[in-house]
Amino acid sequence: MQFTSTQDINAPLDYVFQQLTDFDAYESFALRRGAQVQRKDNIPSKGIGLTWNVVGEFRGKVRDVDIQVVEYRPDNILKFMITSKGIDAAADFEAMALTRKQSRIKSTLNVTPKTISARLVLQSAKLAKQSLNRRYNNRFATFANYIENNYNKSQRG
């Protein structure tokens, strides 16, 4: 199952990509939500191979997920591979400059089942694909607004 969203942001490409790759902020967000986050690599800079293990409650069950950066091209592309017991997912982010002060980011999430029970869950989710796509798009729009608001605050201060 695939979800896609494209958002335009009134901020320069370098700022947008910097926010998109703010992994410390993602870790803090997960910790505030009650998840346990453990960094599994020793890589000192942003790039391919960064890996985290995240354990937290989602939809009433404790989930154990590994997240790894599998492609990293500064100011352009960021790809993650997400693996859990029943599902694999690939999250792709592509950033591009529209003008010097406006950027576009495209997000694609491909979810693939590994077990029969996960396949059944995804089959039933396909029935609600339109509503799930709308929720995905709204969440990504919220994230894009967050980046734009951060940029506007940094310009005022």
Side-chain angles (χ1 to χ4, degrees):
M1 181 178 292
Q2 180 174 319
F3 301 97
T4 303
S5 181
T6 302
Q7 300 294 323
D8 292 346
I9 300 174
N10 290 320
L13 178 62
D14 59 340
Y15 185 85
V16 170
F17 199 78
Q18 174 195 354
Q19 292 290 297
L20 200 58
T21 59
D22 188 356
F23 302 126
D24 292 335
Y26 297 145
E27 287 182 33
S28 297
F29 179 78
L31 290 169
R32 284 193 307 271
R33 297 268 188 235
Q36 299 170 355
V37 180
Q38 180 182 0
R39 182 85 177 264
K40 293 175 66 176
D41 63 80
N42 294 322
I43 301 170
S45 62
K46 295 177 183 178
I48 295 172
L50 296 174
T51 308
W52 298 265
N53 176 258
V54 181
V55 178
E57 192 171 312
F58 180 72
R59 298 204 180 270
K61 280 187 160 182
V62 174
R63 313 289 179 171
D64 188 343
V65 177
D66 287 327
I67 303 169
Q68 181 177 17
V69 175
V70 293
E71 188 172 348
Y72 181 91
R73 284 191 246 155
D75 291 340
N76 192 332
I77 292 180
L78 177 65
K79 293 185 180 188
F80 295 98
M81 178 54 74
I82 304 158
T83 56
S84 69
K85 191 170 92 174
I87 291 178
D88 283 342
D92 302 347
F93 299 92
E94 184 178 359
M96 63 194 86
L98 298 176
T99 66
R100 282 188 28 221
K101 294 194 177 213
Q102 191 175 35
S103 304
R104 174 173 290 158
I105 50 177
K106 179 181 179 185
S107 167
T108 305
L109 178 68
N110 283 305
V111 182
T112 309
K114 293 196 303 191
T115 63
I116 292 173
S117 59
R119 189 176 305 271
L120 290 172
V121 168
L122 282 181
Q123 282 291 6
S124 62
K126 284 182 182 179
L127 297 173
K129 175 92 161 98
Q130 192 172 16
S131 107
L132 290 172
N133 222 7
R134 189 171 36 252
R135 285 176 52 193
Y136 182 80
N137 200 38
N138 288 340
R139 292 262 173 108
F140 197 62
T142 300
F143 180 64
N145 286 334
Y146 168 79
I147 292 173
E148 189 171 310
N149 291 337
N150 281 350
Y151 177 72
N152 291 336
K153 285 178 191 173
S154 73
Q155 294 304 298
R156 280 185 251 140

